[in-house]
Amino acid sequence: MSLKSRIRIASGAAAIIVLFVAAAAAQRGQSQFADGLPVNRALAADLQHAIEHESPSPSVIIAVDVESGKIIASRGMDLAAHRLETPGSSVKPFVLMALLESGRLDPQKKLFCHRPLYIGSVRMDCLHPEDVTQLDASEAIAYSCNSYVAQAAARFEADELVQLYRRLGFDSVTGLADGEATGRIERSSTREEMELEALGHWGVQVTPLELLEAYRKLALRVRRGQMAEADAPILAGLEGSTDFGMGHAAHVDGMKVAGKTGTSEAPGVPRTHGFFDGYAPADRPEIAVMAYVERGSGGDAAAAAQPVLAAFAKHPRSP
């Protein structure tokens, strides 16, 4: 037999092996993203079904794989890529982590929640139960306390929030959609503006995709064990949010979910929009989920995300 014939036979055998492996993978519910990374097709189908048939409408919902950053299931991608909104309380975990990591905030010290809360001419009363009057850093995230974060934000220099939000990618494309918009970040000139910017109420606008990517990167650091020890209270607060706090509507029995609500408000505009961003399982995240609800609140967004997280919880975890 000639060398050329032997090469043809070997090549044909290799092709058969490749097809056999691909078929076996398909039977196991495995497929691939365009760049070759694996995706569980059964999981993707279940999450898409939850998004389309179980989550309240109208809402934008996107689930991504934490490790690869690839979209698993989605609804409303065009809106997620192009709508610019103030992020509201969604930014609070990142704001407090920056202060904790720099040693400028004592996570155990409790601060009073002041009501009514005025920052300049803007009223920012908290929505958590009125009997929650003193909070530490973890509780401030779980209950989304505006008063706590505003007091903590006084420790920032004016440029620090701008730099923090840029590091989070709030004025950069995520690469998750073609032609996506980018957020806007302003530099505060007064203490009141800085406090409002730390609360996501003034000076910063983001797309839902930019918020999702910021939380996906946070989840990736958690997954890889790269979080600073100082960040532990904030991570606990994100779990507390869905366990008993303001994000409880996203709670899933039998699985720890970390997440944060945010209500987008614009000065002089009566309507609000809701955000929920989170990841699961909380201790070793595999997916990150973002929900955005027009004419709603952060609680509405948490409720929209819950069926997707519940569908994920039914699938076996990665080793």
Side-chain angles (χ1 to χ4, degrees):
M1 182 183 296
S2 69
L3 177 61
K4 184 179 294 186
S5 298
R6 288 198 299 270
I7 291 174
R8 275 201 303 268
I9 292 172
S11 299
I16 292 172
I17 292 172
V18 169
L19 290 171
F20 176 80
V21 171
Q27 289 177 353
R28 293 193 303 271
Q30 298 293 324
S31 186
Q32 290 183 331
F33 291 113
D35 58 6
L37 294 171
V39 59
N40 186 314
R41 291 192 301 139
L43 173 62
D46 285 348
L47 297 191
Q48 192 66 42
H49 181 273
I51 287 173
E52 294 177 358
H53 301 288
E54 298 177 39
S55 294
S57 296
S59 57
V60 174
I61 307 177
I62 302 172
V64 298
D65 178 76
V66 166
E67 192 70 44
S68 69
K70 302 296 183 180
I71 295 173
I72 302 172
S74 67
R75 178 174 71 200
M77 279 294 296
D78 186 65
L79 191 63
H82 298 102
R83 177 64 59 86
L84 284 176
E85 299 287 1
T86 55
S89 297
S90 303
V91 299
K92 288 175 180 175
F94 303 105
V95 168
L96 294 190
M97 280 192 290
L99 291 171
L100 289 171
E101 290 172 4
S102 63
R104 285 175 286 175
L105 183 64
D106 180 353
Q108 304 302 321
K109 183 178 180 180
K110 289 183 178 284
L111 301 180
F112 281 97
C113 177
H114 299 285
R115 298 186 192 188
L117 175 63
Y118 283 95
I119 303 177
S121 61
V122 182
R123 188 163 181 172
M124 297 291 293
D125 289 3
C126 292
L127 298 178
H128 60 70
E130 291 189 6
D131 60 351
V132 180
T133 58
Q134 298 184 66
L135 308 94
D136 59 23
S138 181
E139 293 164 337
I141 293 301
Y143 287 114
S144 197
C145 183
N146 289 341
S147 182
Y148 182 102
V149 175
Q151 293 175 68
R155 297 162 171 80
F156 280 117
E157 299 293 334
D159 283 334
E160 285 188 89
L161 277 175
V162 173
Q163 296 306 316
L164 170 63
Y165 291 158
R166 282 182 177 158
R167 289 196 301 273
L168 292 171
F170 287 172
D171 59 355
S172 306
V173 297
T174 66
L176 294 173
D178 294 332
E180 59 185 297
T182 56
R184 302 165 185 161
I185 307 169
E186 297 181 47
R187 183 184 186 277
S188 60
S189 58
T190 66
R191 173 174 171 168
E192 289 78 13
E193 286 181 350
M194 183 167 60
E195 291 177 2
L196 290 171
E197 191 164 20
L199 293 170
H201 184 79
W202 176 94
V204 56
Q205 290 183 304
V206 298
T207 66
L209 285 185
E210 287 172 324
L211 265 184
L212 171 61
E213 182 64 0
Y215 273 86
R216 201 269 308 176
K217 288 179 178 177
L218 171 61
L220 185 60
R221 289 170 59 201
V222 173
R223 179 178 174 83
R224 294 179 175 178
Q226 297 173 341
M227 299 299 295
E229 185 177 347
D231 297 326
I234 305 307
L235 301 182
L238 289 170
E239 292 185 41
S241 176
T242 61
D243 279 346
F244 57 83
M246 302 304 285
H248 185 67
H251 178 80
V252 175
D253 289 338
M255 182 180 71
K256 284 284 189 180
V257 175
K260 184 73 190 72
T261 55
T263 300
S264 174
E265 301 177 78
V269 179
R271 66 178 181 273
T272 64
H273 309 295
F275 283 106
F276 175 84
D277 291 272
Y279 53 83
D283 58 343
R284 194 171 186 272
E286 295 181 31
I287 66 164
V289 175
M290 181 279 302
Y292 169 77
V293 178
E294 287 193 286
R295 299 179 183 270
S297 67
D300 296 326
Q306 198 278 342
V308 182
L309 292 162
F312 170 73
K314 296 176 182 177
H315 283 259
R317 306 281 75 81
S318 296

